[in-house]
Amino acid sequence: MSSIWNNRISISIFGEADGPAIGVTIDNLPSGEHIDADEITKFLARRTGGYSSQSCESSTPHVMSGIFNDKTTGAPLCAFIQNEPSQEPVYEPDENEVLIRPGHADYTGAVRYRGFNDFRNSGHFSEKLTAPLCFAGAVCGQILERRGIYTGAHILQLHEVKDNPFDPVNITRDGIRSIREKIFPVINDSKGWAMGDAIEKAYEQGESLGGVVECAAINVPAGIGSPIFDGLENNIAQLMFGIPGVMGLEFGSGFSSAQMMGSQNNDDFYLDEHGHVLTRTNNHGGILGGISSGMPVVMRVAFKPSPSVAKLEGTVNTRSMTEETADNSNGHIPCTVPSAVPCVEAAVNIALLSHMIDYPNFC
C-alpha cells in the first residue's frame, strides 16, 4: 500500500482499524525542536469528539523514538496510538456472508489486494488512520508556529447550513486560535448550533451529512514551492486526498473563478507601510505558479456524507455472487465533518513544513 508520503519530510502511516495499534513514522524533521506532548494530545482530541466513530481509539500517542528531553533528535520520530475495543459491533462477516457495503472501500480493497486485506471496520481504509496523520501534523504545526506560521480551519458548510467564511485577506492568529478552543469549530456559534441540529435530525432519520471545511495558513513567506509537479498546492492536495471522504479541493476563488473575467479574478498588487508586496484581494489563495505569494494560503475541502447510514441498501454477496440487501444500522455515523477539521489542518502543516525546511534561515 502507498501509505508513505516522501517530499523532504517523510510520513509513513501504519496499522489497521481493529489491530492492536495504529501509528506513524516521521523522518527528516529538523533536530532540536521542542515538542509539547500535551499540545499534541489536545490536537488529537479534536478528532474524537462529536458524531464520528473515532472515540473508540485512545487520543494518547506513545512516542517510541525521535524525541528525547522533549526535543527532536534528528532520528525518525515513531509514535503509535493504542486501539481500544470498539463499543460498536464490528463489521466482520461470517464465512457464509460477505456483503460489500455501499460507499465503503470493501469491494475496491478486496479487488486490489485479492481478498487478503483486513476488512474489519474498513481496516487500513478506516478514518481511524487520520489519527497518525494528525499526530504528524501536530508536530509539524508546533515547529511552524515557533516561526509565526499558523494554520486553522473551521466548518464552512454542513449540508445546507453555512458558517461565515474567512476574510481571505485579513486572517489573524487570535482568530485561528479561538476556533480551536471551541467544541464545535465554527466562526459563528449560532451557525454551529444549527449544524448540530441538522446532524441530530439526520441521525434520527438514519441518514448522514457531508460538508465543506475551510482552512487558512497565515504568515507563510513568499517564495516557497516550485512550479509544475512540486507546487505548494500540489503537495497539499496529495496529503488532503489521503483523508477519507475528501471529494474536492479548491484554492482561493476556486471553481467560482470560472465565472469571472480575468480582470475580476486578478489580484492587484500594492506596497504596504513596511514596503512588503501584497495583494488587495486574494482570489489566488496565496499561491501563484505553485509558489506562495505571502498572502494567506486559503482553501476549501469538500467531504462526502459518511457512507455508514441506517438504511437498507442494495449490495452483492461476493461469496455467493448474489444481489442482496445490506443493513448497516449498527454502524450508523451521522457526520464526520467536525472530526475532519484538525485532519485538514494537519495535512496543510505537513506540506508547509516540507517546503519551509528549504527556506533560508528556517532551521
Side-chain angles (χ1 to χ4, degrees), residues 291-303:
I291 303 169
S292 60
S293 69
M295 295 296 290
V297 177
V298 183
M299 72 211 72
R300 286 165 295 280
V301 189
F303 286 85

Side-chain angles (χ1 to χ4, degrees), residues 222 269-279 293:
F269 286 102
Y270 75 100
L271 292 173
D272 70 3
E273 63 272 18
H274 303 292
H276 298 149
V277 177
L278 299 173
T279 60
S293 69

Side-chain angles (χ1 to χ4, degrees), residues 2-11 13 129-130 133 225-251 287 299-301 303 343-344 346-352 354-355:
S2 56
S3 301
I4 300 175
W5 186 81
N6 188 16
N7 195 324
R8 290 167 289 271
I9 290 175
S10 175
I11 306 292
I13 293 175
L129 273 296
T130 59
L133 178 74
S226 298
I228 311 298
F229 300 123
D230 196 28
L232 183 55
E233 70 264 71
N234 303 49
N235 295 152
I236 291 173
Q238 280 185 314
L239 290 156
M240 203 66 73
F241 280 98
I243 303 171
V246 171
M247 298 297 287
L249 171 64
E250 64 177 9
F251 292 87
I287 303 173
M299 72 211 72
R300 286 165 295 280
V301 189
F303 286 85
C343 303
V344 169
V348 175
N349 284 339
I350 296 167
L352 284 175
S354 74
H355 283 283

Side-chain angles (χ1 to χ4, degrees), residues 103-119:
H104 291 79
D106 298 342
Y107 173 67
T108 53
V111 172
R112 175 66 178 84
Y113 298 106
R114 300 181 298 156
F116 291 103
N117 57 299
D118 184 347
F119 50 73

Side-chain angles (χ1 to χ4, degrees), residues 42-319:
K42 289 179 182 179
F43 194 103
L44 290 175
R46 293 166 59 203
R47 287 180 56 260
T48 57
Y51 302 84
S52 80
S53 64
Q54 295 166 347
S55 58
C56 58
E57 104 249 335
S58 169
S59 295
T60 305
H62 302 276
V63 175
M64 305 300 293
S65 64
I67 296 179
F68 181 67
N69 289 332
D70 297 327
K71 293 184 182 293
T72 55
T73 65
L77 198 172
C78 180
F80 74 89
I81 300 170
Q82 193 79 33
N83 278 333
E84 296 180 356
S86 174
Q87 301 303 310
E88 300 290 341
V90 175
Y91 171 68
E92 187 171 358
D94 62 34
E95 60 181 9
N96 297 315
E97 182 183 42
V98 182
L99 301 180
I100 51 179
R101 297 170 297 169
H104 291 79
D106 298 342
Y107 173 67
T108 53
V111 172
R112 175 66 178 84
Y113 298 106
R114 300 181 298 156
F116 291 103
N117 57 299
D118 184 347
F119 50 73
R120 298 172 300 168
N121 283 329
S122 298
H124 197 65
F125 297 93
S126 171
E127 62 183 10
K128 280 188 178 184
L129 273 296
T130 59
L133 178 74
C134 281
F135 176 89
V139 169
C140 294
Q142 289 190 29
I143 296 173
L144 290 168
E145 289 185 5
R146 202 163 292 117
R147 276 80 172 176
I149 299 171
Y150 288 80
T151 300
H154 70 113
I155 304 173
L156 178 64
Q157 182 173 350
L158 197 149
H159 194 47
E160 296 178 344
V161 183
K162 296 182 180 180
D163 189 22
N164 300 342
F166 281 134
D167 179 337
V169 175
N170 300 301
I171 305 172
T172 66
R173 181 191 67 174
D174 290 343
I176 284 175
R177 292 171 70 109
S178 67
I179 297 172
R180 291 183 191 170
E181 301 301 320
K182 296 183 178 183
I183 296 175
F184 207 84
V186 291
I187 295 174
N188 186 331
D189 289 337
S190 65
K191 299 295 184 180
W193 300 330
M195 291 178 186
D197 290 342
I199 294 173
E200 293 291 348
K201 184 176 180 180
Y203 180 77
E204 293 169 359
Q205 297 173 345
E207 276 292 357
S208 63
L209 304 177
V212 178
V213 173
E214 184 179 43
C215 184
I218 61 171
N219 301 329
V220 178
I224 71 166
S226 298
I228 311 298
F229 300 123
D230 196 28
L232 183 55
E233 70 264 71
N234 303 49
N235 295 152
I236 291 173
Q238 280 185 314
L239 290 156
M240 203 66 73
F241 280 98
I243 303 171
V246 171
M247 298 297 287
L249 171 64
E250 64 177 9
F251 292 87
S253 58
F255 282 95
S256 65
S257 64
Q259 303 172 4
M260 299 180 182
M261 303 292 283
S263 59
Q264 294 174 313
N265 190 56
N266 288 342
D267 301 301
D268 291 348
F269 286 102
Y270 75 100
L271 292 173
D272 70 3
E273 63 272 18
H274 303 292
H276 298 149
V277 177
L278 299 173
T279 60
R280 299 191 184 280
T281 52
N282 193 15
N283 291 320
H284 66 288
I287 303 173
L288 290 167
I291 303 169
S292 60
S293 69
M295 295 296 290
V297 177
V298 183
M299 72 211 72
R300 286 165 295 280
V301 189
F303 286 85
K304 71 177 184 180
S306 165
S308 300
V309 297
K311 299 279 187 178
L312 295 178
E313 299 179 296
T315 187
V316 169
N317 185 321
T318 56
R319 192 173 298 279

